[in-house]
Amino acid sequence: MATSPTILLVDDDLDLREAAAEALEDAGYSVVRADDGRRALDEMTRGGLRPDLILLDMMMPNLDGWGFRVAQKQVPDIARIPVVALTAYALTEDERDQLDAAAILRKPVALEELMQAVESVARTAT
């Protein structure tokens, strides 16, 4: 039996995190939640978590999405895990290139749009 893809959902907004996690779990994904980039990075570097996909808010306390991406790219075991970035701000082309995300969604994001992005990236990642 195949295991369900694992998604690491990193967002400091509890309501968004729980609503998105519930929808993803209903769609058959296994979801690990983190409320900031530091906790998410710790889960992967110290805890051994290897998600199939990371949903990453760009604005968070402790370690934001930008800092998380810099750190992620420096650790070979987790550097290639695809990221779907969530941001309330329009990004310049240079920022998009620097972020190097599989997809970038503008907040507030509709649940349907989020699910479509996750399914699209998860299909290409597996």
Side-chain angles (χ1 to χ4, degrees):
M1 181 177 176
T3 60
S4 60
T6 299
I7 296 175
L8 175 57
L9 174 55
V10 190
D11 199 306
D12 62 323
D13 182 327
L14 177 62
D15 292 337
L16 183 145
R17 193 171 63 240
E18 291 307 313
E22 185 175 313
L24 290 163
E25 289 167 345
D26 287 349
Y29 294 96
S30 174
V31 180
V32 176
R33 299 159 178 86
D35 61 2
D36 66 47
R38 177 69 50 218
R39 283 194 176 91
L41 200 57
D42 285 349
E43 282 288 326
M44 291 192 299
T45 58
R46 294 186 184 143
L49 176 66
R50 294 296 178 266
D52 298 289
L53 171 68
I54 301 167
L55 279 174
L56 180 66
D57 183 20
M58 298 310 295
M59 299 293 293
M60 295 177 289
N62 300 322
L63 182 64
D64 67 9
W66 295 101
F68 176 90
R69 285 294 284 152
V70 168
Q72 179 194 6
K73 291 176 184 181
Q74 294 175 350
V75 181
D77 287 350
I78 62 173
R80 295 194 187 278
I81 298 171
V83 169
V84 173
L86 307 171
T87 181
Y89 301 99
L91 301 179
T92 66
E93 189 172 329
D94 285 345
E95 288 171 327
R96 287 174 169 273
D97 290 345
Q98 180 184 6
L99 185 56
D100 188 29
I104 300 171
L105 302 178
R106 187 91 182 260
K107 283 181 153 185
V109 61
L111 205 47
E112 182 177 305
E113 181 184 10
L114 178 70
M115 296 303 292
Q116 287 174 346
V118 166
E119 289 169 15
S120 175
V121 173
R123 270 196 305 272
T124 60
T126 55

